[in-house]
Structures are given as structure tokens and as C-alpha cells.
Amino acid sequence: MIPSALAGKRIGVTGATGFVGTALVERLLRAVPDCTLVLLVRDGKRTAASERVRREIIKNNAFDRLRSEWGADFDARIAARVSVVSGDVGTDGLGLSPDDRRAFASCDVIIHSAASVSFDSPLDSAIEINLLGPTRIAALLNEEGPGPSGRLAHLVAVSTCYVAGNRRGNAPEELVSAGPFDIGLSWRNEVAAARRLRGDTEAASRTPERLAEFRADARRELGAAGAPALAEKTEQCRERWVKDQLVAAGRSRAASVGWPDAYAFTKALGEQALHETKGAVPVSIVRPSIIESALAEPFPGWIRGFRMAEPVIISYARGLLKEFPGVPEGTIDVIPVDIVVAAIIAVAALGPESAPAITQVASGSTNPLKYRTLVDNVRDWFTEHPIYDSHGQPIVVPDWNFPGRGRVQKQLSRAKTAVTWAERTLQSLPLRGVQASWSARLEERRGDIERALEYVELYGLYTECEAIYRVDNLMRINDDLDAADRAAFNLDPRSVDWPLYISTIHLPSVVQHARVKTSPGKTMVDRRDRLRKQVLDPSRQVAAFDLENTLIASNVVESYSWLATRRLNTPERIRYVARTLREAPGLLSMDRKDRADFLRYFYRRYEDAPVEQIEADAAELLSQLIMTKSFPAGLRRVREHRALGHRTVLITGALSFAVEGLRPLFDEIVAADMTKRPDGTYSGELAVVPPTGETRAQILADYCQAEGFRLEECVAYADSTSDLPLLEAVGFPVAVNPETRLAAIARKRGWLVENWEKAEGAPRRLLPIGPLVSESEQKRFSVRTRRSF
């Protein structure tokens, strides 16, 4: 019945790039061989809708079965049966061109599965897509009129069982605007309020007080990363704050009127709006419950992206969630995606005359899965098939009890507060390398706690839900199917053996998609080794290096101290050391705020220094300080790049005379230059902007442009967030002995991190003191030296 009813039909589909949509497209092409599809897909930021279909749908492993059956004809048959129109259900008129409007409206059936399915969508976004999306399609069909068949398309709208709200007991297949579903809300008022809220929130985010907070947050995360990077991060903080406010508004509004979240709330209003505005368009609504991996079609365990249960299950398996709220005897209403797809197709095949107005696709009323059964099966499976930690040791899953949602939220909130305090404390300390990784690990732990807290807040209501969704219409459709249709389109929830499904289908699929470690022992291939091979690939073109704390364990203060004390007697040296140590906290604070400002301020101390003296001392500075505090592994890395034919560039805020001796290692050295006076002294003022922050990125970009190189084939080595613009500009960033903020960023972004050490036996003085020069040399420069330094 089903294939013949849809034979030769032109079927429009929205949401084809989603979980249900991808499975729906595949099943229609495979099980209804004579139909053609029109997919309404939104253009990506850089990808046309047609290319998105090819990459995100047709290449998905859901089509492997069809690819095997069609063989060499696969591409040609897809092209003959699938057409794409570029549009957006979140935009008035669907964003379609005149030709595409007509092409879409001429379909015999339109299956609307596009939705903002996230449980934490901003309220206005959920309103535009979930509430107004179906009404926009109905409006288009009414405006364009009947298609070639002489009838308006049959609109099959996919909703959710959770439009029933936070109820207990039976939830029948009734219209939202009728019976116990109706609480008197005006969907038009909700649309207007959500749009106003977006404007009000955007305005609130731009007040001076808020912007100051965002700038402070950006600086706390990035440190002295430079004005452009801080400006970009500040705007990201502002946008995140706006989104968070709208997400919170959605949760609050939904909870205030009896829905678990903005998704269910806007879906319920969407049904109400569609019922009121559909006009002459025949409409059927399909309401699935929680959709999970496939029972059988296109293959057992097929899933696209993580659904609701998967993040919670994996967090439990990794030992991150010790407990989760829920009612042990309560029902978790889960339904495999292939049963949902079969029901949607069956409703479309029945047509507007025979299809029920509402068809719920759920398991709770006919084949309930109890929360305790789910938890017990998950625990037993991961006890037998544990996930392994980074050291190759099995993670023992806890016995999960069933606390209240409030208790779990309080526990996680306290843990988050403690970890955040510890993380900020470490970030305030001058830690580097392995020690700085402590902060990165704390940030990762904080992220785990925040995700766990988010899962409790988002999904806790669903595990505590006690509604029982009736599926009387679904079972009537199933009873009317002939044997062939029942075999090809299983839509019976009673066909699922829950313990078997959980242990042999769903959990193996979840673990596979999570890409977690499932075997003992350490990973054979060290991730850092893989990244090093990429960095040292012969196809790389330029390797750019910072100097301080990247190639040497020294800085401009130490270089200055070494030069300044060479001609001081012992009492003067003691006073110098005491004064410098007293100034150290202020200098460190200034350096963290803005590296360029710090350099300008500190280099003022070279005012009146004799050029001849400094140049004479610089050669000894290289051998007695810089090289003794160098990282041998870092210098070897420079030579490795040169041996591979890569250009090597040193970009440093150190003064040019201090690094001149390193020229044999580098093809190009860019350093700070100080102006000279006619009387043979330094002015203490820099000739050009010091090469720090975003300036370094621009220097490398200009160099690559002049030499014909590509930034994406360049490598950059640096130690601080002040170097973030340089690291982000290249294709292969390397964080060397990173300070705490950069360690956290590098860990989050998957960058190579190198912890290079000084050579054994190198001096470890708190403040380097230059060796005394000869008596004649002291006399030559003594007066000027004492005045200058």
C-alpha cells in the first residue's frame, strides 16, 4: 500500500540535513522507488545548499546500503530523483526565489521536519523556526495555489510528544488548541514578545557597564593578546551573553506555562499557529517522543549526532556523572528513528483524507522502558565493556542512585565554584610548561562539570516526566497495513526488545560515535608525535619563532640586568638587585596587560647608554647569558626546519643588538630597534612599533606575501597569549612552555604543546648579574654607566 500510494509523487522535505530528515530521505529513495524529492535546505556560510546536500546527506553512512544496491548508477539516480532549493524556514517567504517557490509548492506532499531541536535554543530562534516555520510553509502553499495534481500539497508536520507539557498520566492524540492542551496562550503575543526581547537584550548588552564586563572577561581569558584579538573576544563574550539571556528566557517562559523547555513550548505554539492559519492546506501532525538510534533501518544502531541520552550516557561511562535525577519507576519514552520515519511515510501515504490529524509515535503506553531498567542495563554494559582513561586503565562506573534534581544541581554548582576559584588562582601565578598544564586540566574539569550541570538542567525534567503518550492512531495505522508494508515499514513500538536494543544496538553505536578509548593500554601513537610529524613535514614553508621562554629561559629584564651591572661595584649591585626585585610585581602586571607598552616603558632605562659599550657587551651577553639559558631542544628544532628547507624567522621584542649573534640560525630576524643620538648614546625610544601581539602576525603575513609563501603552510612557536594572533594566523601553531592561559587554549584547540628545558648545569640565578669588566674598562665607561644604569 505505502509504495504504491506514493508512487510517482513529488515529495518536498525540510530539515533533510538533520537526524530524522537524513533517515527520511534515504528511506524514501530506497523504499518508494518511483517518488522524486525536493529538498529545501539553507545555504551554509560558505557552502551552497546543493553542496550541503551532497556532503551532509548523500555522503552519510545512512546511504551505504543504497550505494551498494545501486552500484555505479548511484550518483545518476540521486541526480534524477533529488532536486534542491535554497531556503530557510526561519525566514518569511522561506527565503525562496520565485522559481523555487513554485517548484516547492508544486509538490504533492511536504514533510516538514526542520526544527531548532536543541533543548537550550535562544527563545527568539526557537520561535522563528519551531513556531513560525510550519505557518510559513502553509502560507506559501496557499499563496501559490494547487500544483499539477490540482490540489494543495498535503503538509505532514513533525512535532513532538512533549507538546503535552509537564503533565502526569495519559497524553492523548489531540490538537494543542483543544482539550487539556489549551491554556489560553496567544501565539502571536509570544512571537511579538520574543522579538522585543531580542532587541531589548541586544541593547542591554551594549551598555557601558556590560561592555566593561565583557572586556574584563576577554582579558582574563586571553591576557595581553593585542587589541584586535581582545576586541574579537569581547564581541564573542557579548554575543554569548545575549544568547545565554535568551536561552534563560526561553527556559523560564516555558517553565512558567508548564513546558520542560523552549523546544517543547515553541513546538506546542507552532501546532496552535498552524491549526489557525493553515487555510485550505490539509495538515497531518506526527509527534515522536525521544528519538534515538535505529532499530534496523538503514542499519541497526545508525545515528546522526548525539541525541538527548548519549551525552549523559558517555559522561556516566567516563565517571563524570556520579548520579542523575529521575524517577526509577518512571517511563523514559524512547523510540528508534526508523520507527518514526516509517510512521511519517505511512501518514504521508494515507493522504489527507485518511490520515489522522495527530499521530503520536511513542513507546510508553504500549512498550514502556522504565528508567531503572535503562540505568541497570547501561551500568551492566559499561561494567562489562568499560571505557579506558588516558593511562589505559578501565573506568569503573558508579552505582547510580535516583536523587532529586535540586540536590544534584547544588552539588555540581558547588564543585564548579571550587574548580573555578582554583583555576583563577593558578592563572594569576607565573606558571609555565608542565606546571601551567595544571590550569588547563582544571579548565577541562570545569568544562566537564558545566556539561554535567547543563545535562541535569536540560534533561532532568525528561527523566522525571510521568506522562504516558497514547498511540491509538499509530496502532490503527499499523493494524491496517498489509504484511508487505509491515515488513518494509515497521512502525510498531512493541517490536523493540529494550534490554536487547540497549545492549546490542544502542550502546555499541553510542560508544563508536563518541570515539572514546575502548581498549586497555596506552595509545600506541602519541598524539604529540603525530602533530610533530605535521609540523616537520617537508611541505611546510616557514617556521616563525618567538625568543623569550620559547628558545631561551630569559627575558628583557634579565638581559638589561646583565648589561647594567657589569660596571657597578658591589654596594651598587646590591642596591640594583633590591630595587629590581621590588619593581618585579609591577613590571609583571604591566607585561600581562600590554606587552608593547611594557617594552616601551622598560626600554626607557637604556636612555644615555653608550652605543659602543652596549655593542661591545652584546657579544658576551649572547655567550654568557642567552646561550647558557637556551633550550637545546628548541635550537635543534630551528636547525631541523632549516634542514628541511623551511625558512626560519625570529620575531622578538628583544632589542636587535641582543639577538644579532643568533643570525646564523635564522633567515630573517625581526627585533625591536632603539634610536641613537648623534652623541653616540641610545635615546631609550623605539624606532618603530615593537613586534608584539598582532604586529607579529602582520609581520609574518607581510613576509609570506613578499616571498610567495602561504600562512596555512607556516609553523609558529610561542609561549604566551600575547602571541595568540601569531599562533592563530598560521596553519600549524605550537605552544612552547606555555603560560597558564595559553596552555588552556592550546589544550582546548588541540595544538601541539612542547615543554623544552634548559641544559643541565645552566645557571639558575634569580636575577643575572653581569661579570665585572677590567679596571681600565670600568674607568672608560664608569661615569656614564653609573648615570645611565
Side-chain angles (χ1 to χ4, degrees):
M1 178 190 81
I2 292 176
S4 59
L6 294 175
K9 299 291 186 181
R10 183 178 170 88
I11 302 174
V13 179
T14 70
T17 58
F19 179 39
V20 172
T22 298
L24 178 64
V25 170
E26 189 276 340
R27 183 75 80 89
L28 285 169
L29 290 173
R30 178 166 51 82
V32 187
D34 297 320
C35 72
T36 58
L37 306 182
V38 181
L39 309 184
L40 188 151
V41 176
R42 185 179 67 249
D43 287 331
K45 289 183 178 179
R46 299 181 182 85
T47 311
S50 57
E51 183 61 18
R52 285 192 66 200
V53 168
R54 188 182 71 84
R55 292 182 183 179
E56 300 178 32
I57 303 177
I58 306 303
K59 282 194 169 185
N60 188 275
N61 63 348
F63 286 79
D64 288 350
R65 178 174 173 181
L66 202 55
R67 232 182 310 271
S68 175
E69 292 178 4
W70 288 359
D73 295 334
F74 179 80
D75 290 336
R77 294 176 71 171
I78 290 291
R81 294 183 59 190
V82 177
S83 59
V84 181
V85 295
S86 173
D88 183 357
V89 299
T91 303
D92 288 341
L94 304 183
L96 294 170
S97 68
D99 288 344
D100 286 344
R101 282 174 62 92
R102 192 63 210 150
F104 195 63
S106 66
C107 292
D108 300 289
V109 180
I110 291 178
I111 300 174
H112 173 52
S113 68
S116 176
V117 297
S118 173
F119 295 109
D120 60 345
S121 292
L123 178 59
D124 64 318
S125 174
I127 288 281
E128 294 294 337
I129 297 172
N130 297 341
L131 194 162
L132 293 175
T135 68
R136 291 184 176 119
I137 295 175
L140 173 72
L141 296 177
N142 281 310
E143 290 166 8
E144 292 295 324
S149 66
R151 304 170 63 182
L152 290 173
H154 176 202
L155 176 57
V156 179
V158 181
S159 184
T160 174
C161 283
Y162 291 93
V163 297
N166 298 326
R167 64 162 59 203
R168 290 185 173 95
N170 282 336
E173 295 162 298
E174 294 180 349
L175 291 171
V176 170
S177 56
F181 288 81
D182 185 15
I183 63 169
L185 291 178
S186 165
W187 63 268
R188 290 182 175 86
N189 289 344
E190 297 298 325
V191 171
R195 288 173 172 173
R196 281 197 307 272
L197 181 62
R198 162 64 75 169
D200 293 345
T201 308
E202 288 283 354
S205 74
R206 290 171 166 83
T207 62
E209 296 79 13
R210 289 287 180 204
L211 292 174
E213 289 178 15
F214 303 146
R215 285 196 298 271
D217 290 342
R219 185 170 290 280
R220 188 159 43 244
E221 184 173 343
L222 299 185
L230 287 172
E232 182 181 3
K233 176 55 68 174
T234 299
E235 179 61 12
Q236 290 174 3
C237 291
R238 188 195 68 79
E239 291 175 348
R240 184 169 61 233
W241 183 86
V242 169
K243 179 183 177 182
D244 289 345
Q245 297 304 303
L246 292 170
V247 168
R251 290 180 186 172
S252 297
R253 181 56 180 151
S256 73
V257 287
W259 275 277
D261 50 44
Y263 170 67
F265 170 57
T266 53
K267 276 292 192 179
L269 292 180
E271 286 191 19
Q272 182 189 94
L274 180 59
H275 181 67
E276 290 183 16
T277 63
K278 64 183 180 179
V281 176
V283 172
S284 300
I285 294 174
V286 177
R287 292 179 185 153
S289 57
I290 300 170
I291 309 173
E292 291 295 348
S293 63
L295 177 66
E297 303 278 349
F299 57 82
W302 178 82
I303 195 170
R304 176 165 191 173
F306 267 12
R307 317 318 306 161
M308 191 189 93
E310 288 72 57
V312 177
I313 289 172
I314 291 299
S315 293
Y316 169 72
R318 292 175 60 200
L320 303 178
L321 271 181
K322 306 298 183 184
E323 53 187 9
F324 200 78
V327 179
E329 65 272 26
T331 297
I332 298 294
D333 207 312
V334 172
I335 196 75
V337 65
D338 46 340
I339 291 180
V340 175
V341 166
I344 293 171
I345 294 175
V347 168
L350 285 172
E353 295 83 6
S354 303
I358 305 287
T359 302
Q360 293 187 157
V361 190
S363 59
S365 61
T366 58
N367 184 20
L369 170 61
K370 297 299 181 180
Y371 187 39
R372 182 178 291 280
T373 301
L374 173 64
V375 169
D376 289 347
N377 277 272
V378 170
R379 183 197 60 233
D380 292 346
W381 194 87
F382 280 111
T383 299
E384 186 177 350
H385 309 91
I387 287 175
Y388 292 81
D389 62 21
S390 58
H391 301 290
Q393 298 301 310
I395 299 172
V396 179
V397 292
D399 284 331
W400 209 338
N401 56 28
F402 303 92
R405 188 155 36 94
R407 190 184 104 186
V408 179
Q409 286 176 316
K410 287 179 181 178
Q411 290 175 346
L412 291 171
S413 295
R414 285 196 297 267
K416 178 184 174 182
T417 300
V419 171
T420 300
W421 178 86
E423 181 188 359
R424 289 187 176 179
T425 301
L426 283 179
Q427 285 185 348
S428 67
L429 300 176
L431 304 178
R432 289 191 172 275
V434 175
Q435 293 173 326
S437 68
W438 299 340
S439 176
R441 285 194 289 270
L442 276 177
E443 184 184 49
E444 187 174 294
R445 177 60 179 165
R446 176 172 56 81
D448 291 338
I449 294 171
E450 287 177 345
R451 280 190 294 275
L453 185 58
E454 182 180 26
Y455 298 153
V456 171
E457 291 173 346
L458 291 179
Y459 307 143
L461 279 171
Y462 287 86
T463 59
E464 294 175 340
C465 179
E466 296 184 77
I468 302 299
Y469 304 108
R470 303 297 304 175
V471 290
D472 302 321
N473 291 336
L474 178 72
M475 299 315 298
R476 275 193 288 271
I477 295 172
N478 180 71
D479 292 343
D480 290 341
L481 295 178
D482 58 30
D485 279 341
R486 287 187 186 179
F489 298 93
N490 173 27
L491 46 81
D492 189 348
R494 297 170 300 183
S495 64
V496 185
D497 180 330
W498 290 118
L500 189 66
Y501 169 81
I502 293 168
S503 61
T504 66
I505 295 176
H506 188 61
L507 290 179
S509 176
V510 168
V511 168
Q512 179 185 358
H513 282 79
R515 297 180 179 178
V516 291
K517 186 173 173 55
T518 57
S519 57
K522 292 188 176 181
T523 305
M524 295 298 292
V525 179
D526 190 328
R527 182 173 172 276
R528 285 182 300 177
D529 289 340
R530 177 171 54 81
L531 291 174
R532 284 192 192 106
K533 287 180 181 178
Q534 295 176 0
V535 163
L536 293 171
D537 190 283
S539 61
R540 304 289 88 82
Q541 297 174 346
V542 179
F545 290 83
D546 180 28
L547 179 64
E548 296 172 1
N549 297 306
T550 301
L551 294 177
I552 63 170
S554 185
N555 53 56
V556 298
V557 176
E558 292 187 348
S559 296
Y560 173 82
S561 298
W562 191 94
L563 291 168
T565 57
R566 292 204 72 193
R567 291 166 177 79
L568 299 181
N569 59 37
T570 300
E572 289 169 334
R573 288 183 173 212
I574 293 173
R575 285 194 294 272
Y576 173 84
V577 170
R579 184 175 67 249
T580 304
L581 292 177
R582 192 167 58 249
E583 292 176 317
L587 294 175
L588 179 62
S589 175
M590 184 181 295
D591 188 23
R592 286 184 167 184
K593 289 178 181 176
D594 191 294
R595 179 69 172 169
D597 286 349
F598 162 75
L599 292 178
R600 287 191 183 94
Y601 170 80
F602 190 80
Y603 285 159
R604 294 282 191 273
R605 302 179 183 214
Y606 280 96
E607 185 179 1
D608 295 331
V611 174
E612 183 183 355
Q613 172 191 320
I614 295 297
E615 290 179 350
D617 289 346
E620 291 186 58
L621 173 71
L622 177 70
S623 61
Q624 295 189 29
L625 177 67
I626 293 178
M627 296 309 295
T628 61
K629 304 196 78 172
S630 66
F631 302 128
L635 299 182
R636 282 197 299 272
R637 183 63 57 85
V638 178
R639 295 189 181 99
E640 285 180 278
H641 280 291
R642 298 203 76 177
L644 290 166
H646 305 159
R647 295 281 186 92
T648 54
V649 179
L650 178 66
I651 307 176
T652 176
L655 289 164
S656 56
F657 60 73
V659 297
E660 185 62 29
L662 296 174
R663 193 163 293 279
L665 282 172
F666 296 96
D667 295 292
E668 189 80 22
I669 292 180
V670 181
D673 273 316
M674 191 176 293
T675 58
K676 303 172 185 176
R677 294 169 176 160
D679 66 352
T681 62
Y682 283 111
S683 67
E685 298 176 358
L686 296 179
V688 295
V689 177
T692 62
E694 67 275 14
T695 307
R696 294 188 177 190
Q698 190 60 54
I699 288 169
L700 183 61
D702 292 343
Y703 178 79
C704 289
Q705 185 175 13
E707 299 294 327
F709 299 129
R710 294 184 300 138
L711 279 171
E712 56 266 32
E713 289 297 338
C714 294
V715 185
Y717 295 81
D719 70 294
S720 168
T721 51
S722 65
D723 303 306
L724 198 57
L726 174 65
L727 294 169
E728 290 178 332
V730 301
F732 301 89
V734 183
V736 179
N737 301 331
E739 42 89 55
T740 52
R741 291 188 182 94
L742 184 60
I745 292 170
R747 189 182 184 97
K748 189 183 302 181
R749 301 188 186 182
W751 292 351
L752 174 61
V753 175
E754 298 283 18
N755 293 309
W756 292 336
E757 296 182 355
K758 291 188 296 183
E760 293 184 9
R764 297 182 181 275
R765 298 182 185 127
L766 185 61
L767 191 67
I769 301 297
L772 282 170
V773 299
S774 66
E775 188 174 338
S776 61
E777 195 72 7
Q778 283 193 51
K779 290 179 180 177
R780 182 179 177 192
F781 292 113
S782 60
V783 176
R784 176 164 286 174
T785 299
R786 286 192 170 96
R787 190 181 73 230
S788 302
F789 293 87

